[in-house]
Amino acid sequence: MVTEISSNPKMMVKSEPLEKFCIQVLEKLGVPREEAEITAKTLVMANLRGVDTHGVLRLPLYAARLKGGAMAASVNLTTEKETLATALLDGHDGIGQVISCRAMQLAIRKAREVGVSFVAVRRSNHFGAAAYYPMMALAHDMIGIALTNASPRLAPTGGIERLFGNNPWSVAVPAGERLPVVLDMANSLVAAGKIRVLQKEGKPIPEGWALNQYGEPTTDAGDALKGILLAIGGYKGYGITLMVDLLTGVLADSNYGPRVKGLDQNVDPAGAAHSFIAINLAAFTDTEAFKARMDAYIDEIKSSAKARGADVIYLPGEPEYLRMQERTANGFPLQAKVVEELRAIGKELGIPLDL
């Protein structure tokens, strides 16, 4: 059921039909069923968690890259180097979500045997919301970490040339009775996807998010996407985003810096690189004792003195969990512009969008 929300150009949708539609679109474009299911699930999961910038908004961009040849429809993941604790995988320009799920699964298997593992990936694509992959480790009583480089959006401190992506990274740490702590962040003040959302809504961006292509402050979403995103914490964010690039693209001998291609480039492969780390709790401590410490620490944080006007203190990942509970039950808002783009793809491929 699709309904309008007051005068806001958004529609309420349910996850199941949307995920089914994404699967059908990807299959029509040559993606094998299992790989289409993985990709669709990661996209819809992002919407359910409230990370709309990395949800089904991205499907038209993926479709264009599949049609243009920049992204291979079927994943051919090969092992280039391997030890008991490490691996270097080559994604051969396949779908980033599928490559990343398989890489994280390998990291988990290795950590089960040797305690800690590090799996690097070269020649991949945009992998969606970063938290999806470290969260895979939680069910195995492991800490998960994921890092990726991205197409250039940031300049070095003092410069105006786009040399770095915002290079997201995520860490997921299990707890006991409490929710796991899940940090998922890029190194820009805001993700490019959030600016893209405002652009589709015809809205300006807040001051301080970005500079235009001349290095001047801008509130125009289109100019921001052509220009430079500002790093978190100034030179500190610049340093972090550089280090993520070194631990992914440079380490894996993949594209790095300005060589990583964006989602809007439909012919040249992205060459994106990722790294996945799994840490087996049992290799360091008693697992249940660790979870008890986590619960106690979380309780201490949440019960600490609050600032005037603050009702609750959240841990990283907690708002997303609560939003997912609500959106799974009630559906979630999707921009009318995004629905229009999805319908256009469906019409082109002969797949109705029945929400």
Side-chain angles (χ1 to χ4, degrees), residues 75-88:
V75 168
N76 173 30
L77 188 61
T78 58
T79 302
E80 304 301 301
K81 289 179 178 291
E82 187 170 22
T83 71
L84 289 175
T86 66
L88 170 64

Side-chain angles (χ1 to χ4, degrees), residues 85-101:
T86 66
L88 170 64
L89 307 180
D90 192 322
H92 298 282
D93 305 314
I95 296 175
Q97 284 90 337
V98 178
I99 292 168
S100 297
C101 281

